[in-house]
Amino acid sequence: MNSSELRTASDLISKASRVVSFSGAGLSAESGVATFRDANTQGVWTKFDPMKLASPQGFQDDPKLVIDWYADRRRYVAQAQPNAAHVALASRGEMQHITQNVDDLLIRAGVDPDILIQLHGTIASDHCHDLCGYEEAINLSDPPSLHACPRCGGSMRPSVVWFGESLLPEAWNKAEQACIECDVLLVIGTSAEVYPAAGLLDLSKSNGATIIIVNTESSGASHLADLELTGNAGEIIPHLLR
Ligand code: BJW
Ligand code: ZN
């Protein structure tokens, strides 16, 4: 950790009137939740085919495979604990948080679920894939196996955004607004390779925000960074927000 960069970033954050965090899988990595694209930390997509497990086509082809995979991840997340970065973010009640993460670790750290923007949805609920509107909360410790929608007989599935699916308009509109209005966008643990989410960083930058990136390595957003702090989120974020 470079202490002068850390001090500069910390000053920028404390002087800003609106700070927004934008996080990805790296935020939860120190809680033991696997990232997607890290070859060296066994990212999920280095072992599994995303189109088989996280796309509507994959679900149609082999729904049991998909639901069993989510059941494993749900049980894993249930046992994971928020790390120091989640806790530090939650301690800043005035900050708006946008996350691509589908886990519930920011919420368990204390972020108000009503103001958290989960761009790619959540594994803490299921909904009917056949869009009758039926939804149910999921106990992550005791996740369901493949089951039918009690309302229409369709297929229940996790309320996450798969490849090729649109993000929920409400979450997207709120995220765009927050990224336009903030003075500082604190980008934590994302490869910034998945769109449209990664496009929010360009939006913020073009609206005048200072972009501070915290990541263990360079990412697809490095070229947008005013300050790039290299290291673990769990070590850097508590210093930055103290
Ligand atoms: C640390 C750390 C530590 C580690 N501290 N840092 C071609 C070009 C452009 C776009 C497309 C294209 N082909 C297809 C698309 C669209 C596609 C897309 O973007 N694909 C790209 C991969 C190319 N996007 C979509 O399909 C989206 N929908 C869409 O576009 O709709 C319109 C449309 C309609 C019809 C047809 C086509 C398009 C939807 C995207 C949904 C993404 N869903 C997932 C799965 C969620 C479900 C689940 O989890 O079960 O969301 S994919 C996965 O990636 C997940 C994540 O939220 C997302 C982002 O990943 P993230 O968070 O950045 O993680 P990693 O692993 O990539 O990075 C971790 C980072 O942390 C690394 O940088 C590490 O260095 C760092 N790190 N430890 C700090 N301790
Ligand atoms: Zn239904």
Side-chain angles (χ1 to χ4, degrees), residues 25 30 36-37 70 73 100 120 161 164-165 190-191 195 215 233:
E30 289 156 82
F36 293 94
R37 294 171 188 79
Y70 274 96
R73 286 176 69 210
Q100 298 166 89
H120 292 159
V161 182
E165 292 185 323
T190 177
S191 59
Y195 285 80
N215 201 309

Side-chain angles (χ1 to χ4, degrees), residues 128-172:
C128 176
H129 189 57
D130 295 270
L131 297 180
C132 77
Y134 186 78
E135 283 182 6
E136 61 193 16
I138 298 297
N139 175 356
L140 295 180
S141 308
D142 186 18
S145 45
L146 183 63
H147 64 296
C149 170
R151 186 183 289 167
C152 77
S155 308
M156 293 301 287
R157 56 161 281 185
S159 299
V160 300
V161 182
W162 284 331
F163 285 110
E165 292 185 323
S166 299
L167 278 57
L168 287 178
E170 194 191 341
W172 179 252

Side-chain angles (χ1 to χ4, degrees), residues 23-30 34-38 40-41 43-45 50 53-54 69-70 73 99-102 120 123 158 160-167 188-197 214-220 231-234:
S23 53
L27 172 63
S28 297
E30 289 156 82
T35 61
F36 293 94
R37 294 171 188 79
D38 287 301
N40 54 350
T41 55
V44 171
W45 299 153
L53 295 169
W69 181 65
Y70 274 96
R73 286 176 69 210
T99 189
Q100 298 166 89
N101 296 348
V102 299
H120 292 159
I123 53 169
V160 300
V161 182
W162 284 331
F163 285 110
E165 292 185 323
S166 299
L167 278 57
I188 307 161
T190 177
S191 59
E193 285 181 16
V194 174
Y195 285 80
V214 177
N215 201 309
T216 45
E217 50 193 66
S218 62
S219 71
N232 287 323

